[in-house]
């Protein structure tokens, strides 16, 4: 236990010596600017990643609605038969069944894509 305590105290003393060196040599503005540049780069990456996740979420949550509107629009435009309730409910049931994987698959691949884009 004393060995670990000595290692910790040695590290703390090195840290304090480093702080003293920075203060005595007036390197505070230089180090501060380097830290802020790194922080700004980190925030840019976090912002870009959150934008990708937001776009993925919007597309994922609205895909069933868009597919339903397109399906009914194409059917109304191309079919000579009117859209009846039985056809509409059957179509909605199929779209609901198909919609679940369409909501899950982007979430599964979203994590690796964000990691790949953010490097």
């Amino acid at each position: 236990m004393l060995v670990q305590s000595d290692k910790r105290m040695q590290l703390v003393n090195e840290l304090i010596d480093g702080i003293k060196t920075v203060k005595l040599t007036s390197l505070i503005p230089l180090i501060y600017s380097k830290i802020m540049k790194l922080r700004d780069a980190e925030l840019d990456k976090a912002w870009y990643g959150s934008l990708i996740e937001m776009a993925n979420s919007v597309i994922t949550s609205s895909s069933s609605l868009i597919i339903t509107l397109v399906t009914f629009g194409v059917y109304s435009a191309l079919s000579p038969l009117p859209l009846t309730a039985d056809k509409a409910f059957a179509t909605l049931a199929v779209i609901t069944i198909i919609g679940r994987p369409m909501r899950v698959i982007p979430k599964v691949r979203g994590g690796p894509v964000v990691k790949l884009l953010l490097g």
Side-chain angles (χ1 to χ4, degrees):
M1 188 165 95
L2 290 175
V3 171
Q4 294 301 322
S5 179
D6 288 342
K7 286 182 182 179
R8 182 179 54 83
M9 287 306 297
Q10 181 181 6
L11 186 62
V12 169
N13 287 334
E14 287 179 19
L15 180 63
I16 291 172
D17 289 340
I19 291 171
K20 286 178 183 177
T21 303
V22 167
K23 287 192 173 267
L24 291 174
T25 56
S26 299
L27 292 175
I28 293 173
L30 177 67
I31 291 177
Y32 181 77
S33 66
K34 285 185 177 184
I35 290 173
M36 292 309 292
K37 284 180 187 177
L38 290 173
R39 183 176 180 270
D40 289 342
E42 180 184 5
L43 288 176
D44 287 343
K45 293 284 187 174
W47 177 253
Y48 185 65
S50 66
L51 286 178
I52 292 171
E53 289 178 10
M54 180 196 60
N56 190 18
S57 176
V58 167
I59 291 169
T60 302
S61 61
S62 65
S63 63
S64 293
L65 177 65
I66 293 170
I67 290 172
T68 302
L69 292 175
V70 169
T71 301
F72 288 147
V74 169
Y75 181 83
S76 298
L78 298 180
S79 178
L81 303 173
L83 182 62
T84 59
D86 59 337
K87 291 178 186 176
F89 286 123
T91 304
L92 287 174
V94 170
I95 289 173
T96 301
I97 292 170
I98 292 172
R100 180 166 307 277
M102 292 177 63
R103 285 187 299 273
V104 173
I105 290 172
K107 290 179 184 177
V108 171
R109 71 177 167 84
V113 168
V114 170
K115 288 180 184 176
L116 178 68
L117 290 175
L118 294 179

